[in-house]
Amino acid sequence: MIKSLITLLAVSIAALAVPEESFANKFTTIGGGVSGMDHEKFDILKQIGAYTGTFFILLGILSIVTRNRFESFVGMRMKGEGIAPASYVLLVLGALLSLLFFF
């Protein structure tokens, strides 16, 4: 156990300490970004926000509806307990992301 832990630590330190040549030119091209007009990029981000928000809302509703049925699900609680706070968090995040579509 200790030998494998030492090996893992040595490999991790080597991976962090040894610079890779493949990353040499990436730092100069990060600022280039995605080509295209700004309103097209914003429209794509709005669609992504709407789809992600809808998914979160559906997941929040599903976690409330099935809170007593599935183990290890987001909203799992024992019978007699209230709704898990994670369900409300998913609904609020979904609503905020979906509102991005309208602005």
Side-chain angles (χ1 to χ4, degrees), residues 34-52 97-103:
V34 179
S35 62
M37 292 194 265
D38 287 337
H39 66 87
E40 291 175 354
K41 293 181 205 177
F42 191 66
D43 288 341
I44 291 171
L45 286 175
K46 282 172 48 173
Q47 288 178 352
I48 290 171
Y51 293 140
T52 306
L97 284 172
S98 295
L99 284 176
L100 176 67
F101 181 74
F102 297 107
F103 292 107

Side-chain angles (χ1 to χ4, degrees), residues 4-38:
S4 62
L5 185 62
I6 292 173
T7 305
L8 180 65
L9 183 65
V11 169
S12 300
I13 290 173
L16 292 173
V18 177
E20 292 191 27
E21 295 176 9
S22 62
F23 292 131
N25 292 328
K26 291 203 184 238
F27 296 112
T28 59
T29 60
I30 286 175
V34 179
S35 62
M37 292 194 265
D38 287 337

Side-chain angles (χ1 to χ4, degrees), residues 26-92:
K26 291 203 184 238
F27 296 112
T28 59
T29 60
I30 286 175
V34 179
S35 62
M37 292 194 265
D38 287 337
H39 66 87
E40 291 175 354
K41 293 181 205 177
F42 191 66
D43 288 341
I44 291 171
L45 286 175
K46 282 172 48 173
Q47 288 178 352
I48 290 171
Y51 293 140
T52 306
T54 305
F55 175 73
F56 281 171
I57 289 172
L58 290 176
L59 190 62
I61 291 170
L62 186 66
S63 68
I64 291 172
V65 171
T66 62
R67 69 180 178 271
N68 296 328
R69 295 190 182 118
F70 302 115
E71 291 182 20
S72 303
F73 194 62
V74 172
M76 179 63 188
R77 302 285 266 193
M78 300 303 286
K79 290 196 182 230
E81 293 182 7
I83 298 172
S87 303
Y88 296 123
V89 170
L90 283 171
L91 290 173
V92 169

